[in-house]
Amino acid sequence: MSTPYPFTAVVGQTDLRLALLLNAVSPAVGGVLVRGEKGTAKSTAVRALSALLPQVDVVPGCRFSCAPAAPDPACPDGPHEPGPGAVRPARMVELPVGASEDRLVGALDIERALAEGVKAFEPGLLADAHRGILYVDEVNLLHDHLIDLLLDAAAMGASYVEREGVSVRHAARFLLVGTMNPEEGELRPQLLDRFGLTVEVAASREPAQRVEVVRRRLAYEDDPAGFATRWAGDEHEVRARVVAARALLPKVSLGDTALLQIAATCAGFEVDGMRADIVMARTATALAAWAGRTEVRKEDVRQAALLALPHRRRRNPFDAPGLDEDLLDRILDEFPDPDLDPDPDPEPGPEGPDGNGPDDSGPGDGGPDGGPGGTPPQESGPDAPASDAETPETPQDSAPQPSAQESGGAGPEQAAVRAAEPFRTKMLSVPGLGEGASGRRSRARTAHGRTTGAQRPRGHLTKLHLAATIQAAAPHQKARGRSGRGLVVRKDDLRQATREGREGNLVLFVVDASGSMAARQRMSAVKGAVLSLLLDAYQRRDKVGLITFRGVGAQLALPPTSSVDAAAARLEQLPTGGRTPLAAGLLKAHETLRIERLRDPSRRPLLVVVTDGRATSAGALGGDPRELSGRSARMLAAEGVASVVVDCESGPVRLGLAGVLAADLGGPAVTLDGLRADSLAGLVKNVRTAVTSQSSHTNRRAA
């Protein structure tokens, strides 16, 4: 077993270390979600935490980690007789992103069922993680069916397994820790709310801190055991402090003033539900115990708010995380601590694992200290979503614009405008039955979902259909000389379960940014419609891509990604102007989809073309622009690409060119107003029937 990197050797990352240690003191806080860019010691710190947790007493031989003093009466390995327990370190169980449902919750022991004819339960990772840590790296990439199981277990503190003739319930109380890179996509709100605390991390920009990170990492890789030995004293001190804080925790008093501060804070920030209040109360109590106090103070409530509220205030994936600290201070000032002086000397807070933060003033691998509140760093760069304060109110206030050469000779250019408010859209789905990644959009054969039948396995058997396997083997038992209880099963008897669920698709947006779309109100409505579709794609676990066309060419503004907020940021910065190279946009879509089919052949695309249908430029292709766009659209339709055209034409006189384009693509056309959920009747039906009607449409054009 390799020597883990010491927790106390992690430089900087004050908020991350504090959040993890608070959960070690009080597991009831509910875990922590660590968000941040790659290479910021997220996984390193989490994996090192298990060494600081106190050891646990377990019933010897119990696979479900029952405590000897209070064993679970419903434990599948019970009932347990009174007796001395065994002591073992707290476990940290890692849940891989690609884990199966059986591996997570457990399943029937197939080997014993077939060999001995008995029903036996094989525990999963939830049982292993009981009274320990369940760590999910890249939690935002976890399949939806696994997220649902985690939600149930986290809410009830138990795992219920009802499958394949097995009915089992066992305790599953664990500290849930997840890490994620927001660039790869966001979490579902239900799972986001299950994490007690959240921390935003970023790499330091200070050369001295980065040097120290490299120095320590190289020293660890040269001699892991020796490096760990040098930090053993610090590890022991922090472990002892965690034990002391746990012992003090029941004695901490949460007074009425602190409760009022917590309630007023949650109400002032308009947090949904009551879980935030409960988490803040538990966190403030743990902070007081960590500081060695028996009463909760205002600074504890403030720090608890900064850790427990930012991720609960996000209404959609386009909202930037964070908390208004000025508003927080105003709310807390309305409820001063009655037993303290008006201006008490600030007590040193838990800056680091040893209480005085020796690493925070020196080199580190984390972001710069954000003060006592640990303010999460604001996103920046081309992918960062713009806040209301940063979004231009007028064209003259826009961000720097690309030159005519950069935009493909677009000619006169108008500034980017703000998007209208997004709205709820009806679901658009791809026709047929796919076999793509698990999601929530189109029908598909998936590894998880409702069982629809059985078949002989093609290649490696991944999901056994037990009833069908037994049915196939049963007629041959006499001929195979069966003499005992066990069933004689051969490879030819095995049957693979076929299941149907929902898949995520690649939603590729092709947005017209030409001069015909440049009217301020019109482009604002267009962006609002695309943002609405992006929000829908986020909720349905799709990948998204963005192509824009203007001037003489098209540009892949965002390659296909799971980060819809990155697509929203690119859309917000989109300028308009110039001629309309519709064919170039469609050909760029064709090329993008061709490359994506090579990378991810099982993920089916849905093409969403947002345009008024005009084609006024052939670009570098030459020829008639309208004829080129028609041929490009028919080429996409011939390859079976499901398409929807969002008609942006407005005014009393309409040319109907978007409808012609939709017919060439073999999909429906819908207006901006018709895109709303309450007026989109029949669109899904049209999308599903578009492919079947495409052949007759082609025949009519030929005639």
Side-chain angles (χ1 to χ4, degrees), residues 26 109 116 151 179 244 254 266 269 284 333 357 411 517 607 685:
S26 175
D109 189 333
E116 304 175 22
L151 289 176
T179 56
L254 185 66
C266 293
F269 283 102
D333 288 341
M517 305 285 290
L607 185 66
K685 179 180 178 181

Side-chain angles (χ1 to χ4, degrees), residues 1 21 35 62 107-108 125 178 205 212 216 222 232 265 311-312 373 412 415 448 508 609 668 688:
M1 181 178 179
L21 289 169
R35 297 164 43 94
C62 178
L108 178 68
L125 295 177
R205 298 297 184 261
E212 184 63 18
R216 293 190 186 184
D222 290 341
T265 300
H311 62 299
R312 292 185 166 88
H448 312 278
L508 183 61
V609 185
R688 290 175 174 170

Side-chain angles (χ1 to χ4, degrees), residues 92-148:
M92 192 196 73
V93 178
E94 292 197 41
L95 173 60
V97 171
S100 66
E101 183 177 336
D102 290 348
R103 187 69 188 97
L104 178 62
V105 301
L108 178 68
D109 189 333
I110 301 297
E111 182 178 352
R112 292 190 61 189
L114 296 179
E116 304 175 22
V118 298
K119 292 192 296 186
F121 179 69
E122 182 69 23
L125 295 177
L126 290 180
D128 293 342
H130 179 49
R131 303 176 68 196
I133 302 173
L134 181 61
Y135 172 47
V136 189
D137 193 13
E138 305 294 350
V139 63
N140 51 326
L141 303 182
L142 198 65
H143 289 299
D144 273 5
H145 68 283
L146 297 182
I147 289 179
D148 293 334

Side-chain angles (χ1 to χ4, degrees), residues 269-285:
F269 283 102
E270 301 179 352
V271 178
D272 295 334
M274 295 297 298
R275 183 173 285 114
D277 302 64
I278 297 171
V279 171
M280 275 190 64
R282 291 171 174 166
T283 305
T285 304

Side-chain angles (χ1 to χ4, degrees), residues 558-639:
L558 182 71
T561 176
S562 297
S563 180
V564 296
D565 50 344
R570 299 291 173 88
L571 182 73
E572 192 74 24
Q573 300 164 3
L574 178 66
T576 56
R579 299 175 68 82
T580 312
L582 177 57
L586 297 176
L587 290 176
K588 175 64 74 172
H590 180 271
E591 176 65 13
T592 302
L593 295 178
R594 183 188 67 81
I595 295 174
E596 280 302 304
R597 273 193 294 269
L598 297 176
R599 294 175 177 170
D600 191 357
S602 63
R603 189 180 290 269
R604 297 186 296 163
L606 175 63
L607 185 66
V608 180
V609 185
V610 184
T611 181
D612 56 9
R614 290 181 173 87
T616 61
S617 172
L621 301 173
D624 180 71
R626 293 186 59 180
E627 176 60 26
L628 281 173
S629 62
R631 282 192 314 204
S632 302
R634 290 190 292 273
M635 179 174 62
L636 286 164
E639 296 185 359

Side-chain angles (χ1 to χ4, degrees), residues 621-699:
L621 301 173
D624 180 71
R626 293 186 59 180
E627 176 60 26
L628 281 173
S629 62
R631 282 192 314 204
S632 302
R634 290 190 292 273
M635 179 174 62
L636 286 164
E639 296 185 359
V641 177
S643 305
V644 177
V645 176
V646 179
D647 185 1
C648 304
E649 192 173 27
S650 60
V653 179
R654 297 175 181 263
L655 302 178
L657 297 177
V660 175
L661 175 62
D664 287 332
L665 286 169
V670 58
T671 64
L672 288 175
D673 291 336
L675 193 60
R676 297 180 180 273
D678 54 1
S679 60
L680 199 58
L683 180 57
V684 174
K685 179 180 178 181
N686 290 337
V687 174
R688 290 175 174 170
T689 59
V691 173
T692 58
S693 64
Q694 177 61 25
S695 58
S696 60
H697 168 71
T698 304
N699 293 336

Side-chain angles (χ1 to χ4, degrees), residues 119-331:
K119 292 192 296 186
F121 179 69
E122 182 69 23
L125 295 177
L126 290 180
D128 293 342
H130 179 49
R131 303 176 68 196
I133 302 173
L134 181 61
Y135 172 47
V136 189
D137 193 13
E138 305 294 350
V139 63
N140 51 326
L141 303 182
L142 198 65
H143 289 299
D144 273 5
H145 68 283
L146 297 182
I147 289 179
D148 293 334
L149 294 171
L150 278 180
L151 289 176
D152 291 341
M156 297 182 291
S159 175
Y160 292 84
V161 184
E162 301 283 349
R163 55 193 306 166
E164 297 164 343
V166 175
S167 179
V168 173
R169 176 260 179 212
H170 66 83
R173 293 183 295 274
F174 47 82
L175 171 59
L176 182 61
V177 180
T179 56
M180 60 174 284
N181 184 347
E183 295 177 355
E184 298 173 339
E186 285 292 347
L187 276 177
R188 283 170 49 187
Q190 295 90 336
L191 183 58
L192 196 63
D193 189 51
R194 291 295 180 187
F195 286 98
L197 310 179
T198 186
V199 176
E200 296 279 335
V201 297
S204 172
R205 298 297 184 261
E206 293 294 329
Q209 294 179 347
R210 299 174 75 96
V211 165
E212 184 63 18
V213 173
V214 175
R215 181 182 291 116
R216 293 190 186 184
R217 188 67 196 186
L218 292 179
Y220 168 74
E221 292 176 353
D222 290 341
D223 182 11
F227 185 83
T229 300
R230 291 195 294 273
W231 289 91
D234 293 329
E235 293 281 291
H236 176 75
E237 290 180 8
V238 174
R239 190 180 302 110
R241 186 173 176 186
V242 170
V243 173
R246 279 193 173 190
L248 183 62
L249 188 64
K251 304 175 183 178
V252 176
S253 172
L254 185 66
D256 291 340
T257 300
L259 286 172
L260 284 172
Q261 292 170 344
I262 291 170
T265 300
C266 293
F269 283 102
E270 301 179 352
V271 178
D272 295 334
M274 295 297 298
R275 183 173 285 114
D277 302 64
I278 297 171
V279 171
M280 275 190 64
R282 291 171 174 166
T283 305
T285 304
L287 280 163
W290 178 251
R293 290 185 270 101
T294 57
E295 76 285 341
V296 174
R297 297 180 180 177
K298 184 172 72 173
E299 60 262 30
D300 300 325
V301 176
R302 187 183 193 278
Q303 181 68 67
L306 293 170
L307 293 173
L309 296 188
H311 62 299
R312 292 185 166 88
R313 297 198 64 244
R314 300 193 72 184
R315 294 295 186 266
N316 62 62
F318 312 133
D319 293 339
L323 212 62
D324 185 345
E325 295 193 42
D326 291 335
L327 175 59
L328 175 61
D329 289 333
R330 290 197 299 272
I331 294 174

